């Protein structure tokens, strides 16, 4: 088998790359070890930056997102018994976020790729990178020769593991807590996301639709989903959110509970010979800043443009610049995610640090300059291209 670009992974990064390249007439094959049903049902991030929403719309896969996604023009920071709205429409005019589940993005991209005749292969076993210089992939008993390999297979994928350790610089940070994620069949209790920093710990009120809500609780890092009963979950969510007079958190059937580790990770560079890493294969951010999916889309924009230029003109200039171009945005997002995490979570330790945190929250809520910095990073910085 032969193709121009072999893509490992059918998450948002791999699927968007496949769609962008196939739309340019560049042949691709996508290999995914999980089933299509699993990829289309895996609930993950649901906050799309302005640039991400625009990219999907420009690529012709934004129709359902525009119809069903919820456009938000602000978020609330809740602390000290008060709510403080960060008003995007005033601070960064023309920019907003769209709440639209990652699994919905995946559904749209799979449908678009199949409509374009892209070779998507699910439930593929034993994918391996055969070579970085003369690239090919193996899976099962087959071999796929290609000009380039795009590793879009996530943090635990095979693409980054195929790189010699001596060629990688790895930067990591692990936070001393995790997030308990809750999905519930209940209408949202507020029109926008609420980031609550309480004395009991951080909590987030989010949503997936007009009838489905998503919540997160800061919990110890060794927490298991079965450690929490549904009654205990609702009691803790109410305790952390009902800190503003007149606010009542609606409750309903809980349909899913999971635990997400809080960590940061960056592997540099993001190119090795003819192998390019994108998305979670190269970097992980704590979910506080809602940057994971958005960084994957930003990587893919750069890579699709570079590959398009190569096949159009033969120039490798943009391919050579890929890693540096992506990493400049990755590290900005790393800083913002770290800043949001340290701003809002309860850290055990020195009371002095706690008072500093409270003072910083008050500064963000009261300073237009600080609120603008939050708004422009949260809605997404402009793309370099």
């Amino acid at each position: 088998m032969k193709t121009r670009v072999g893509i490992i992974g059918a998450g948002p990064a791999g699927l968007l790359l496949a769609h962008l390249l196939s739309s340019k007439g560049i042949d691709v094959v996508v290999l995914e070890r999980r089933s299509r049903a699993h990829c289309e049902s895996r609930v993950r991030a649901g906050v799309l930056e302005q640039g991400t929403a625009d990219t999907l719309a420009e690529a012709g896969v934004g129709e359902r997102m525009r119809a069903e996604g919820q456009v938000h023009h602000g978020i609330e920071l809740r602390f000290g018994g008060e709510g403080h709205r960060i008003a995007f429409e005033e601070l960064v005019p023309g920019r907003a976020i769209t709440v639209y589940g990652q699994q919905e993005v995946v559904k749209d991209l799979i449908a678009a790729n199949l409509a374009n005749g892209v070779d998507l292969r699910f439930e593929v076993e034993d994918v391996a990178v055969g070579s970085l210089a003369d690239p090919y992939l193996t899976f099962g008993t087959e071999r796929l020769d290609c000009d380039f390999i795009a590793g879009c297979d996530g943090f635990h994928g095979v693409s980054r593991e195929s790189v010699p350790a001596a060629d990688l610089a790895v930067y990591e940070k692990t936070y001393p807590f995790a997030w308990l994620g809750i999905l519930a069949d209940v209408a949202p209790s507020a029109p926008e996301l609420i980031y609550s920093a309480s004395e009991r710990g951080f909590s987030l009120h989010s949503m997936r639709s007009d009838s489905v809500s998503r919540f997160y609780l800061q919990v110890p890092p060794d927490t298991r989903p079965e450690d929490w009963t549904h009654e205990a979950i609702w009691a803790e969510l109410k305790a952390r959110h009902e800190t503003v007079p007149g606010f009542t958190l609606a409750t309903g059937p809980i349909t899913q509970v999971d635990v997400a580790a809080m960590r940061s990770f960056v592997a540099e560079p993001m190119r090795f010979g003819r192998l390019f890493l994108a998305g979670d294969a190269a970097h992980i951010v704590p979910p506080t800043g809602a940057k994971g999916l958005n960084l994957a889309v930003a990587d893919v924009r750069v890579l699709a443009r570079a590959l398009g230029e190569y096949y159009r003109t033969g120039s490798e200039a943009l391919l050579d610049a890929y890693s540096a171009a992506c990493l400049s945005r990755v590290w900005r997002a790393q800083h913002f995610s770290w800043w949001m995490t340290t701003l809002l979570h309860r850290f055990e330790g020195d009371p002095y640090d706690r008072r500093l945190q409270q003072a910083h929250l008050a500064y963000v809520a009261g300073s237009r300059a600080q609120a603008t910095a939050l708004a422009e990073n949260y809605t997404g910085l402009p793309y370099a291209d």
Side-chain angles (χ1 to χ4, degrees), residues 52-123:
T52 298
D54 292 344
T55 297
L56 295 173
E58 292 163 4
V61 291
E63 183 176 354
R64 199 163 66 91
M65 174 195 69
R66 295 296 193 206
E68 301 177 13
Q70 301 179 33
V71 178
H72 290 188
H73 296 277
I75 60 172
E76 179 184 329
L77 300 183
R78 184 171 291 187
F79 61 93
E82 296 181 349
H84 305 267
R85 185 170 183 267
I86 306 298
F88 302 155
E89 71 274 14
E90 297 176 8
L91 301 168
V92 284
R95 287 157 63 180
I97 58 169
T98 300
V99 177
Y100 188 65
Q102 175 174 310
Q103 74 277 13
E104 305 303 327
V105 174
V106 167
K107 290 176 187 176
D108 296 340
L109 288 169
I110 288 177
N113 276 293
L114 292 176
N116 285 349
V118 173
D119 190 350
L120 297 182
R121 302 197 176 202
F122 295 97
E123 300 182 82

Side-chain angles (χ1 to χ4, degrees), residues 49-286:
E49 295 176 353
Q50 184 68 56
T52 298
D54 292 344
T55 297
L56 295 173
E58 292 163 4
V61 291
E63 183 176 354
R64 199 163 66 91
M65 174 195 69
R66 295 296 193 206
E68 301 177 13
Q70 301 179 33
V71 178
H72 290 188
H73 296 277
I75 60 172
E76 179 184 329
L77 300 183
R78 184 171 291 187
F79 61 93
E82 296 181 349
H84 305 267
R85 185 170 183 267
I86 306 298
F88 302 155
E89 71 274 14
E90 297 176 8
L91 301 168
V92 284
R95 287 157 63 180
I97 58 169
T98 300
V99 177
Y100 188 65
Q102 175 174 310
Q103 74 277 13
E104 305 303 327
V105 174
V106 167
K107 290 176 187 176
D108 296 340
L109 288 169
I110 288 177
N113 276 293
L114 292 176
N116 285 349
V118 173
D119 190 350
L120 297 182
R121 302 197 176 202
F122 295 97
E123 300 182 82
V124 174
E125 297 181 353
D126 301 323
V127 177
V129 177
S131 171
L132 302 181
D134 185 19
Y136 69 91
L137 298 169
T138 59
F139 58 99
T141 60
E142 300 192 60
R143 169 174 166 148
L144 174 65
D145 291 297
C146 38
D147 299 335
F148 300 96
I149 298 171
C152 306
D153 50 344
F155 182 76
H156 298 289
V158 301
S159 57
R160 192 181 68 252
E161 292 180 355
S162 69
V163 178
D167 295 340
L168 270 177
V170 172
Y171 305 88
E172 283 187 275
K173 180 178 180 62
T174 301
Y175 293 87
F177 39 74
W179 272 13
L180 188 73
I182 302 103
L183 198 66
D185 288 338
V186 60
S189 300
E192 296 174 338
L193 278 72
I194 301 173
Y195 285 78
S196 179
S198 79
E199 293 300 316
R200 302 176 68 92
F202 170 77
S203 182
L204 174 62
H205 171 288
S206 184
M207 60 285 292
R208 287 296 175 265
S209 70
D210 291 335
S211 59
V212 177
S213 295
R214 181 74 163 161
F215 304 94
Y216 296 97
L217 284 169
Q218 177 186 349
V219 294
D222 58 351
T223 297
R224 302 170 303 168
E226 57 268 26
D227 294 339
W228 285 76
T229 65
H230 291 187
E231 292 76 14
I233 288 172
W234 284 122
E236 192 62 26
L237 283 169
K238 290 174 78 68
R240 297 190 192 186
H241 278 290
E242 292 181 349
T243 57
V244 173
F247 179 84
T248 300
L249 187 72
T251 63
I254 292 176
T255 59
Q256 180 179 316
V257 180
D258 53 45
V259 176
M262 297 287 286
R263 64 170 178 260
S264 298
F265 175 90
V266 180
E268 296 184 4
M270 291 171 58
R271 178 190 181 178
F272 306 88
R274 297 298 200 180
L275 168 68
F276 295 82
L277 302 178
D280 287 359
H283 42 74
I284 296 285
V285 289

